[in-house]
Amino acid sequence: MMPMPTKTGFLAQLRRFLLAGGLVAAIDTGCFMLLVQLGMPVIAGNALGMLLGFMLGLYLHHRYTFQVEGLPTWPIALRYLTAFGFNLGLGTLTMQLLTQLALPPLPAKLLTMGVVTLSNFLLGRYIVFKSIHRPHLSKYD
């Protein structure tokens, strides 16, 4: 288990988000590639990879990224689910657009993940975990 950091500033949270998100992304992408290799359609494999990352992402971002003690409360879980639904749609539309532009599945997936990552961090910081966001003294950390 990752140790609980103590910094709550934007850059500190972004670093933790990227670290935790890297693990979630690896699981998401691994699942996606396995399912596509097994013959599942690209869009369905993308959605299932994202769904698999959902539960891991909720826990890691709750405890590690945004430093909330205990298990997620229902209001946080519902906000996270809403943000996830938005990002699932955003990711699916982005993947659809990129594959229609003839981008191969893996590069399309990686670009889609970049779009979804930015959206997910901003939604997490300003909406999902807003009740625990603490202002910081330094604008750089």
Side-chain angles (χ1 to χ4, degrees):
M1 184 169 181
M2 294 182 233
M4 287 295 289
T6 58
K7 293 187 177 183
T8 60
F10 184 87
L11 292 178
Q13 284 182 342
L14 181 59
R15 285 189 296 269
R16 290 190 306 270
F17 180 86
L18 292 173
L19 181 62
L23 178 60
V24 172
I27 289 171
D28 176 347
T29 303
C31 176
F32 165 75
M33 292 305 294
L34 176 65
L35 293 172
V36 169
Q37 289 294 324
L38 292 174
M40 183 173 279
V42 169
I43 300 304
N46 181 59
L48 286 176
M50 288 181 71
L51 287 170
L52 185 60
F54 172 79
M55 291 306 290
L56 178 61
L58 172 60
Y59 180 77
L60 288 177
H61 294 310
H62 177 79
R63 292 283 295 149
Y64 180 69
T65 303
F66 298 104
Q67 305 176 338
V68 182
E69 293 294 327
L71 295 174
T73 62
W74 280 111
I76 288 174
L78 290 174
R79 288 193 303 262
Y80 190 83
L81 179 61
T82 301
F84 174 80
F86 174 80
N87 283 323
L88 178 61
L90 178 63
T92 300
L93 290 173
T94 303
M95 177 66 84
Q96 184 69 37
L97 173 66
L98 293 174
T99 56
Q100 284 181 350
L101 294 173
L103 208 59
L106 183 57
K109 176 65 175 175
L110 296 174
L111 287 172
T112 296
M113 287 172 68
V115 170
V116 170
T117 296
L118 176 61
S119 172
N120 196 29
F121 176 71
L122 295 173
L123 289 172
R125 180 169 170 86
Y126 295 109
I127 296 174
V128 175
F129 300 101
K130 69 179 178 146
S131 63
I132 58 89
H133 174 69
R134 294 177 296 272
H136 55 282
L137 298 176
S138 169
K139 67 180 179 180
Y140 301 107
D141 191 59

